Amino acid sequence: KAGVTQTPRYLIKTRGQQVTLSCSPISGHRSVSWYQQTPGQGLQFLFEYFSETQRNKGNFPGRFSGRQFSNSRSEMNVSTLELGDSALYLCASSLNTATNEKLFFGSGTQLSVL
Amino acid sequence: TQLLEQSPQFLSIQEGENLTVYCNSSSVFSSLQWYRQEPGEGPVLLVTVVTGGEVKKLKRLTFQFGDARKDSSLHITAAQPGDTGLYLCAGFVYGNKLVFGAGTILRVKS
């Protein structure tokens, strides 16, 4: 079956702009999580959605937001981009949120803010 | 400060050598996971260790979970160039939030 699909693969924006990233989970998966990966901070949790509801949130400013649609596809939005937002944004899907759940990651969207 | 500390940060070895990567925390985890990430791709789950003292083997990779469930190790026997990548340990905290270690970059030279 198809894996987690993230679009676009690469994105270049300038400071102050906003950006929307998309994630299509594996068919049947209802949980979608977003992570930011940078060389300095590593992988950091942004938020998790399950059945269109945000269930968990990391320590990121309100400029970072997300949503999930009824078909489990998810989008994340970053407004008023800053240079420090340059990162690989990864989406992961899973069947549920049971403990020790297996997460499947997409290939990510590489965002560069100039 | 990382909740999960990984060491070493970088490892460059010759093909055929053995190596061990460590993942330590002052916190107790119900389980720890190990991922491998290649450039331009997302992390791929290798294993989940759940029981304190547990040892799991995946071909040439051996994973161990500490008795107190605060640490884990990954041992690779006879490393091959295909093992090259970023190795990450991760643990769940409240719900489905995964916290990751900073990772170990492994380079295996032929």
Side-chain angles (χ1 to χ4, degrees):
Chain A
K1 55 183 176 181
V4 178
T5 303
Q6 291 189 246
T7 57
R9 196 80 163 84
Y10 302 95
L11 209 46
I12 299 175
K13 292 285 187 179
T14 56
R15 280 180 299 174
Q17 287 187 310
Q18 75 164 21
V19 66
T20 299
L21 311 181
S22 179
C23 171
S24 293
I26 291 172
S27 178
H29 285 194
R30 298 167 63 190
S31 170
V32 173
S33 303
W34 288 88
Y35 291 82
Q36 182 197 65
Q37 186 174 29
T38 60
Q41 298 297 318
L43 269 151
Q44 295 197 302
F45 174 81
L46 281 157
F47 28 65
E48 183 234 346
Y49 287 87
F50 182 80
S51 294
E52 302 179 65
T53 301
Q54 186 182 88
R55 249 193 339 193
N56 215 338
K57 191 176 188 305
N59 297 321
F60 278 82
R63 299 186 297 108
F64 292 81
S65 62
R67 59 177 175 169
Q68 187 180 34
F69 302 95
S70 57
N71 61 357
S72 293
R73 190 178 70 86
S74 177
E75 289 181 346
M76 70 162 280
N77 184 277
V78 188
S79 62
T80 319
L81 284 166
E82 301 177 0
L83 295 179
D85 297 333
S86 295
L88 179 66
Y89 289 88
L90 291 160
C91 161
S93 78
S94 64
L95 279 168
N96 203 338
T97 57
T99 305
N100 312 325
E101 187 68 20
K102 181 174 182 177
L103 267 59
F104 295 82
F105 283 85
S107 298
T109 293
Q110 184 67 55
L111 172 64
S112 297
V113 182
L114 307 178
Chain B
T1 306
Q2 295 271 2
L3 190 59
L4 288 167
E5 298 285 345
Q6 276 189 249
S7 62
Q9 289 184 321
F10 182 77
L11 205 51
S12 181
I13 61 172
Q14 290 294 135
E15 182 177 2
E17 292 184 6
N18 302 331
L19 67 115
T20 302
V21 177
Y22 300 93
C23 176
N24 296 293
S25 176
S26 57
S27 301
V28 175
F29 284 88
S30 59
S31 65
L32 282 179
Q33 298 186 327
W34 285 92
Y35 290 80
R36 178 166 162 262
Q37 185 178 19
E38 296 189 35
E41 299 296 330
V44 175
L45 180 66
L46 296 173
V47 78
T48 302
V49 285
V50 179
T51 306
E54 181 178 9
V55 176
K56 281 191 174 179
K57 291 193 174 184
L58 186 66
K59 296 182 181 178
R60 295 177 293 101
L61 278 60
T62 301
F63 304 85
Q64 190 161 7
F65 199 13
D67 290 340
R69 293 187 287 129
K70 291 182 178 181
D71 56 88
S72 182
S73 65
L74 157 61
H75 182 80
I76 301 179
T77 304
Q80 299 176 1
D83 295 327
T84 293
L86 174 66
Y87 289 82
L88 297 154
C89 68
F92 284 106
V93 294
Y94 45 91
N96 211 28
K97 173 182 175 179
L98 260 185
V99 288
F100 284 85
T104 295
I105 297 172
L106 172 64
R107 181 187 172 198
V108 182
K109 296 174 284 188
S110 57

